[in-house]
Amino acid sequence: MEKYLEYFNEIACIPHGSGNTKMISDYLVRFARVRNLEYRQDEFNNVIIIKEAKEGYEDKDAVILQGHIDMVAVKDSDCSIDMSCDGLDLFTEGDLLGARGTSLGGDDGIAVAYMLAILDGNYNHPRLECIFTTDEETGMDGAKGIDITNLRATRMINIDNEVEGELIVGCAGGVRFKSEMKINKILASGTVFSASVTGLKGGHSGVEIDKNRGNAIKILADELLKLANAYGIKLIEINGGTKDNVIPSSCEARFMLTDAFDNSLTINRILALNGSDYYFGTEDDIDMAIFNISKEDSMDMITLDENATKQFLSYISEFPNGVQAMSEVIDNLVETSLNMGIILSDSESIIVDSLIRSSVKRSKDNLVYELCKLAGKYGASYEMFGDYPGWEVRTTSNLRELMAEVYESKYLCKPNIVAIHAGLECGLFLEKRPELDVVSFGPDIKDIHSTKERLSLSSAERMFDYLTEVLSKM
């Protein structure tokens, strides 16, 4: 087994979801101590490990290798793994590496594995300053807080791309938008129904946002609004989604049919909606949702009243979602998008968490303004947090030229040089060190941030060889 895969297996045994990174951070510290490598660990659990240049490379400029140690920790509803304290159950299927019932954490465990293998190996390279950051997936707090003033590097290779043969040279910035609608519930009598939307692909809200995949929260809210307008239903609860940067694949709700419409004909009409299909995506990437509905019983329940139900569902229906604008500079690049990722209800309020992305700050600010107006229209409070900058494409880059030359020489084809709509930590590092020359790359990983996530083992091997070749040519 390749050394980097051994390290990937090791870190897969350590819980490292966002916000739960102390264990893997301490693991990196132990790694450095055992090998007598210089290291720093800060209050954010970021770790920097330094390895001096190989003999013959002492006069070369230092280089940063960088990736994040947290993962989006999601699992199937029937999975018994507790991702806060249990390791992952890895498996291989042909060329693919996955995890049973959970996300794999290839984003960005492969970066951690690559760096550890190089730090532990005998490769040709200049001085290496390996940066392992935390909580990238929930606001890039590690990259925001890390101090890199004493590092010497003039170049940085970020290992957080999921498409082999692609060199990223720019990305979108983002901000999280959280709104809360306070609700007054009443005691009501009637027939209770359960409703859900299931079966969607979900996926990364940056990488897959342009694939027109269905959003389970939006679909369910739209269907419930139709029922509210037709039959005056009363909403009991609604919950869906797992992360604001993940397109929600399922959503569940319960509602009550009011006394005025509580008759067998109306009930049968509602139950006839069970199993309805909704198709999204493209011809090559079909995404199908199933609308499930079932009757529970007649009972007394605490619910929203009819007007509050319509008001809330109208708010969700009007809430923008998906691609908002395409780039006018780069072909086929999403400029601005919004993902409604989570909806949670309790006895006092309903909360909606969303993530805005844009490569144009003005567009990001304008979308925030529109959301604030919409929240005000429906009496919802709101807050913005986790703001991070984009990474603007540079006209010249020596690192970009070197990495492109090595790729073409090694694989006899040119790499794709792109900007992406997903967020990367590179913009934050460039805020701290504007002179850094930065490129991002990585192996093929499909369906990240979902339980279908798979890492191509052959691609991982090629991209590790490519990385070591780039370091040797510096």
Side-chain angles (χ1 to χ4, degrees):
M1 180 183 292
E2 298 287 347
K3 195 68 175 178
Y4 63 84
L5 284 178
E6 292 181 18
Y7 282 119
F8 191 93
N9 286 339
E10 284 191 21
I11 63 177
C13 295
I14 305 170
H16 56 284
S18 301
N20 185 30
T21 56
K22 178 61 173 166
M23 285 182 284
I24 193 168
S25 179
D26 289 344
Y27 164 85
L28 295 172
V29 168
R30 291 192 298 272
F31 171 94
R33 285 175 176 168
V34 167
R35 291 157 183 82
N36 295 315
L37 295 172
E38 180 184 347
Y39 73 90
R40 296 203 297 268
Q41 182 184 39
D42 64 21
E43 66 270 29
F44 302 97
N45 292 328
N46 297 310
V47 176
I48 299 174
I49 302 177
I50 295 171
K51 185 175 184 179
E52 293 301 333
K54 184 76 178 293
E55 184 177 354
Y57 287 79
E58 297 90 345
D59 62 339
K60 308 292 184 182
D61 288 347
V63 61
I64 291 170
L65 301 182
Q66 188 268 324
H68 60 89
I69 61 177
D70 64 309
M71 65 177 284
V72 172
V74 295
K75 66 176 187 175
D76 292 331
S77 58
D78 59 351
C79 178
S80 62
I81 291 174
D82 182 346
M83 298 187 77
S84 67
C85 57
D86 297 333
L88 307 179
D89 184 10
L90 301 186
F91 70 90
T92 57
E93 189 175 75
D95 182 52
L96 301 178
L97 178 65
R100 292 181 180 87
T102 69
S103 46
L104 173 66
D107 174 18
D108 197 16
I110 195 62
V112 179
Y114 278 4
M115 288 189 280
L116 293 180
I118 291 172
L119 288 168
D120 196 28
N122 186 31
Y123 300 95
N124 294 324
H125 56 76
R127 172 184 162 101
L128 297 177
E129 298 173 337
C130 294
I131 301 178
F132 304 83
T133 49
T134 57
D135 298 336
E136 188 266 356
E137 302 289 3
T138 54
M140 304 191 183
D141 292 337
K144 288 176 181 175
I146 197 168
D147 181 1
I148 60 171
T149 54
N150 293 325
L151 297 186
R152 303 178 195 171
T154 58
R155 303 163 288 184
M156 185 175 97
I157 299 176
N158 166 273
I159 311 167
D160 196 9
N161 185 18
E162 293 82 36
V163 181
E164 179 182 342
E166 196 174 77
L167 302 181
I168 298 175
V169 296
C171 73
V175 63
R176 283 161 164 84
F177 186 91
K178 180 176 184 177
S179 61
E180 181 176 8
M181 186 175 287
K182 295 293 184 181
I183 52 177
N184 293 317
K185 289 195 169 184
I186 61 171
L187 179 63
S189 299
T191 303
V192 176
F193 294 81
S194 295
S196 66
V197 169
T198 59
L200 288 162
K201 289 186 176 182
H204 189 285
S205 69
V207 176
E208 275 92 23
I209 200 70
D210 62 341
K211 295 180 179 177
N212 194 32
R213 293 188 177 176
N215 182 305
I217 296 172
K218 292 283 288 183
I219 298 167
L220 183 55
D222 286 346
E223 292 304 314
L224 293 178
L225 181 58
K226 293 176 187 176
L227 294 176
N229 289 329
Y231 304 119
I233 67 170
K234 298 173 182 176
L235 186 66
I236 299 170
E237 61 182 345
I238 182 168
N239 298 284
T242 56
K243 307 284 183 181
D244 59 14
N245 60 354
V246 177
I247 301 169
S249 59
S250 63
C251 188
E252 300 177 347
R254 298 173 75 211
F255 65 89
M256 179 179 287
L257 190 64
T258 61
D259 293 338
F261 293 100
D262 194 350
N263 58 65
S264 59
L265 179 61
T266 300
I267 290 174
N268 288 337
R269 285 174 180 167
I270 292 176
L271 292 178
L273 298 171
N274 186 54
S276 300
D277 295 339
Y278 306 80
Y279 292 92
F280 300 88
T282 64
E283 185 176 346
D284 297 326
D285 186 25
I286 297 298
D287 192 20
M288 185 183 77
I290 300 175
F291 181 49
N292 308 288
I293 195 162
S294 61
K295 178 176 174 288
E296 291 187 11
D297 207 345
S298 296
M299 63 184 78
D300 295 338
M301 291 288 293
I302 301 296
T303 74
L304 278 71
D305 65 27
E306 291 178 31
N307 288 334
T309 295
K310 289 181 181 179
Q311 183 182 30
F312 171 73
L313 294 174
S314 295
Y315 173 55
I316 298 304
S317 181
E318 289 187 38
F319 204 97
N321 186 75
V323 175
Q324 303 298 301
M326 299 298 292
S327 173
E328 297 180 0
V329 179
I330 301 174
D331 291 341
N332 302 316
L333 175 67
V334 178
E335 177 209 274
T336 305
S337 75
L338 175 60
N339 180 62
M340 181 185 289
I342 303 173
I343 190 166
L344 294 172
S345 60
D346 59 25
S347 60
E348 298 181 350
S349 64
I350 303 178
I351 295 172
V352 179
D353 284 344
S354 302
L355 175 60
I356 299 166
R357 300 180 192 267
S358 184
S359 54
V360 178
K361 184 179 185 301
R362 182 181 66 258
S363 298
K364 181 176 71 173
D365 293 343
N366 287 342
L367 184 52
V368 168
Y369 175 69
E370 292 301 320
L371 294 182
C372 292
K373 283 202 307 182
L374 182 64
K377 174 182 175 180
Y378 285 98
S381 62
Y382 56 85
E383 62 175 319
M384 284 80 71
F385 58 96
D387 198 352
Y388 60 92
W391 165 22
E392 293 188 16
V393 178
R394 290 185 174 178
T395 54
T396 60
S397 165
N398 292 332
L399 179 59
R400 181 173 69 214
E401 290 178 9
L402 171 64
M403 293 183 70
E405 288 172 3
V406 172
Y407 190 91
E408 186 172 2
S409 173
K410 196 170 181 64
Y411 302 112
L412 303 180
C413 62
K414 293 181 181 293
N416 294 320
I417 297 175
V418 301
I420 62 168
H421 188 58
L424 294 172
E425 296 160 294
C426 304
L428 288 164
F429 283 99
L430 286 164
E431 275 196 334
K432 300 171 190 288
R433 294 277 297 278
E435 74 279 8
L436 279 176
D437 193 358
V438 183
V439 174
S440 178
F441 87 107
D444 285 334
I445 310 176
K446 302 299 184 183
D447 296 314
I448 63 171
H449 298 182
S450 78
T451 58
K452 298 175 183 177
E453 181 181 359
R454 301 291 185 266
L455 167 68
S456 167
L457 294 171
S458 59
S459 179
E461 181 176 357
R462 285 191 295 272
M463 290 300 94
F464 182 76
D465 290 343
Y466 169 64
L467 175 59
T468 58
E469 182 79 6
V470 167
L471 294 174
S472 73
K473 299 296 184 183
M474 287 185 159

